[in-house]
């Protein structure tokens, strides 16, 4: 089911980079809600009540420093029972983790940029993240900026796909299975031999070591760590159960096995990222 409020909510544009990059969808054909917002789309799993993927177009040459406005609210186009709403985040150490970052769709004309950034404050675009994880993730947030800077030598356009990995054995809290891992894939195009060549880079962030959910109670271990990896896009597709189309074959991470997978590279700083 594709849901768009009006013509302004055109959603993610598959042709934004030049080479076509279709909106990722679950590989198992499960029922979804495709929610379109200005310049981004959330593909929601209404059973898990969380996104199975999100996709946003970013024009780095036209980004604006838009003041932070907007409040978290449910998306009125779908039932509240299909969304992980405010009750998940009340009186605990869970943050509403933006999937599409607030500033990502904030480009172009000032009014359009402001409307687009405010649209990111919808619960389908959030996932629960332990606060020490969410507030300490400078590297995770900086991945898109790093790729955008790399792409700026060409057309400064990037499309980014972010979501939790919805594992069947994720721990349950207040009736919601809380994801332990998240993935992010950045895609851009650079000049090949007479044509634009699609490139991609994939990342996985793991909050398993800081997530303690027992008997509907949440506990955050002190000084706990989370882990960030650059991972083969093909591995991410298998891990998340999402059809990533041409993104796997466009991966800049050198592969090391016959099946097309490769080493997972632990990241401690932006300098550890490989962009080809």
């Amino acid at each position: 089911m594709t849901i768009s409020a009006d013509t302004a909510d055109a959603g993610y544009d598959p042709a934004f980079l030049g080479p076509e990059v279709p909106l990722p969808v679950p590989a198992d054909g499960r029922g979804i809600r495709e929610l379109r917002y200005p310049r981004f789309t959330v593909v929601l799993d209404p059973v898990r009540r969380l996104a199975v993927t999100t996709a946003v177009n970013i024009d780095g040459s036209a980004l604006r420093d838009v003041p932070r406005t907007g409040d978290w609210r449910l998306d009125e186009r779908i039932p509240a029972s299909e969304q992980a709403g405010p009750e998940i985040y009340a009186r605990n150490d869970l943050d509403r983790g933006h999937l599409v970052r607030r500033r990502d769709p904030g480009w172009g004309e000032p009014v359009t940029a402001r409307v687009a950034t405010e649209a990111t404050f919808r619960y389908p675009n959030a996932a629960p993240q332990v606060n020490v994880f969410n507030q300490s993730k400078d590297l995770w947030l900086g991945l898109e900026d790093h790729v955008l800077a790399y792409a700026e030598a060409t057309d400064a356009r990037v499309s980014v796909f972010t979501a939790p990995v919805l594992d069947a054995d994720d721990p349950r809290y207040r009736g919601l299975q809380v994801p332990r891992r998240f993935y992010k894939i950045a895609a851009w195009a650079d000049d090949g031999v007479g044509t634009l060549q699609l490139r991609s880079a994939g990342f996985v962030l793991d909050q398993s070591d800081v997530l303690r959910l027992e008997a509907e109670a949440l506990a955050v271990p002190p000084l706990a760590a989370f882990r960030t990896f650059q991972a083969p896009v093909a591995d991410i597709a298998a891990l998340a159960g999402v059809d990533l189309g041409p993104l796997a074959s466009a991966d800049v991470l050198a592969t090391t096995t016959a099946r097309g997978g490769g080493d997972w590279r632990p990241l401690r700083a932006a300098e550890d990222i490989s962009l080809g």
Side-chain angles (χ1 to χ4, degrees):
M1 178 188 298
T2 302
I3 304 171
S4 181
D6 53 44
T7 55
D9 294 341
Y12 165 76
D13 178 5
F16 182 74
L17 300 179
E20 189 86 3
V21 183
L23 178 70
V25 294
D28 61 7
R30 77 186 72 173
I32 59 171
R33 303 287 182 262
E34 183 182 319
L35 301 169
R36 295 181 178 178
Y37 303 92
R39 297 176 176 147
F40 70 96
T41 296
V42 174
V43 178
L44 184 75
D45 181 332
V47 176
R48 286 291 302 264
R49 297 188 286 155
L50 294 169
V52 69
T53 195
T54 64
V56 60
N57 304 126
I58 309 169
D59 187 342
S61 67
L63 278 171
R64 290 187 176 273
D65 187 13
V66 179
R68 187 182 180 92
T69 56
D71 295 310
W72 285 103
R73 59 187 178 92
L74 297 170
D75 191 317
E76 65 280 358
R77 297 172 293 178
I78 59 173
S81 60
E82 296 182 355
Q83 307 174 60
E87 69 280 358
I88 301 298
Y89 304 94
R91 303 177 306 280
N92 56 35
D93 291 317
L94 290 176
D95 282 350
R96 301 168 180 84
H98 270 87
L99 297 173
V100 173
R101 298 188 308 171
R102 181 190 69 86
R103 68 185 297 261
D104 283 353
W107 49 271
E109 294 299 318
V111 172
T112 304
R114 178 182 58 78
V115 169
T117 60
E118 289 181 352
T120 66
F121 289 90
R122 298 293 183 274
Y123 278 104
N125 186 45
Q129 296 176 342
V130 176
N131 59 9
V132 294
F133 160 88
N134 190 35
Q135 295 166 7
S136 305
K137 61 187 183 321
D138 291 343
L139 176 61
W140 182 247
L141 277 177
L143 290 173
E144 292 169 42
D145 293 333
H146 188 75
V147 174
L148 194 63
Y150 181 86
E152 200 161 12
T154 55
D155 63 1
R157 288 187 166 203
V158 175
S159 292
V160 177
F161 312 88
T162 308
V165 175
L166 303 181
D167 285 325
D169 61 348
D170 282 333
R172 189 173 294 276
Y173 176 71
R174 295 182 179 177
L176 181 81
Q177 284 185 272
V178 177
R180 294 167 297 178
R181 294 177 290 187
F182 295 79
Y183 73 86
K184 185 186 297 289
I185 300 166
W188 67 99
D190 59 23
D191 289 324
V193 181
T195 185
L196 286 174
Q197 297 294 314
L198 181 66
R199 310 293 185 197
S200 68
F203 308 92
V204 173
L205 195 149
D206 192 331
Q207 68 172 354
S208 298
D209 289 346
V210 297
L211 191 62
R212 298 290 184 270
L213 301 173
E214 297 178 1
E216 296 290 309
L218 172 68
V220 180
L223 304 178
F226 60 89
R227 297 172 293 171
T228 306
F229 303 89
Q230 182 168 0
V233 174
D235 286 4
I236 294 174
L239 180 73
V242 176
D243 182 356
L244 295 174
L247 293 171
S249 59
D251 193 353
V252 298
L253 190 63
T255 58
T256 59
T257 68
R259 68 180 176 84
D263 291 332
W264 285 43
R265 300 164 55 100
L267 301 181
R268 298 174 181 84
E271 293 73 24
D272 298 331
I273 299 170
S274 172
L275 295 180

